[in-house]
Amino acid sequence: MYSLREDGVRKLLLIELSERLTTEEALRAMSQAFMLTEASKIRGVRCDVTRITRGPGGLLMVAAALASRYRPALHIAFLADTAQLPFISRLIRFSGVRENLRAFQSATEADAWLAPAVSPPQKRLSSTARRHAET
């Protein structure tokens, strides 16, 4: 099973995967998640896999789907427990996307890592605006 929620304040997509997750469900969740990030200009995703008891079986297929839809501006933090870290590490390695994908064991650490990516970019003043501000 899976659920997707958007945190509109932080511009963060929260994904929770649980119980027995089939490859098909994982691919559906991933497809929906990428559509939401593209439509909402979301730059950060926290994917909680701590409640998965089994699956998905087609890890290479999931990794390929991740690689095909990933865009460099997106940061994805996986929240996993100790037993799931090797699985998430393989997913990241098999995807070939090593930048901006990380696994964490606490939501606090994951959110801290995602914070710079989801914060609005600092607006730079033009030289004319700076001159007006200085006077």
Side-chain angles (χ1 to χ4, degrees):
M1 292 183 9
Y2 64 91
S3 71
L4 306 167
R5 291 179 298 134
E6 181 182 349
D7 181 337
V9 174
R10 294 187 294 170
K11 283 296 195 187
L12 186 66
L13 181 63
L14 305 171
I15 303 171
E16 293 181 15
L17 306 169
S18 62
E19 300 174 17
R20 184 177 186 281
L21 184 70
T22 65
T23 301
E24 291 77 21
E25 284 177 317
L27 293 172
R28 246 189 328 271
M30 189 178 302
S31 177
Q32 291 173 4
F34 278 114
M35 282 193 293
L36 285 170
T37 63
E38 291 162 4
S40 301
K41 305 287 189 227
I42 290 174
R43 294 187 308 262
V45 175
R46 188 179 72 202
C47 181
D48 185 346
V49 300
T50 57
R51 295 183 359 186
I52 292 179
T53 56
R54 187 168 167 220
L59 182 61
L60 287 175
M61 189 178 299
V62 174
L66 175 61
S68 70
R69 295 294 301 269
Y70 176 78
R71 56 187 167 81
L74 189 63
H75 287 63
I76 302 173
F78 292 96
L79 187 57
D81 61 24
T82 305
Q84 294 157 329
L85 284 176
F87 171 80
I88 295 301
S89 295
R90 281 193 308 274
L91 174 67
I92 292 170
R93 188 174 62 248
F94 292 165
S95 75
V97 181
R98 292 195 170 74
E99 61 186 48
N100 302 332
L101 300 179
R102 298 282 187 280
F104 299 92
Q105 289 187 284
S106 82
T108 305
E109 290 174 347
D111 288 347
W113 180 75
L114 287 167
V118 297
S119 62
Q122 296 291 333
K123 290 194 176 194
R124 298 180 71 190
L125 295 176
S126 68
S127 61
T128 304
R130 275 196 310 270
R131 282 195 299 275
H132 286 289
E134 292 171 358
T135 58

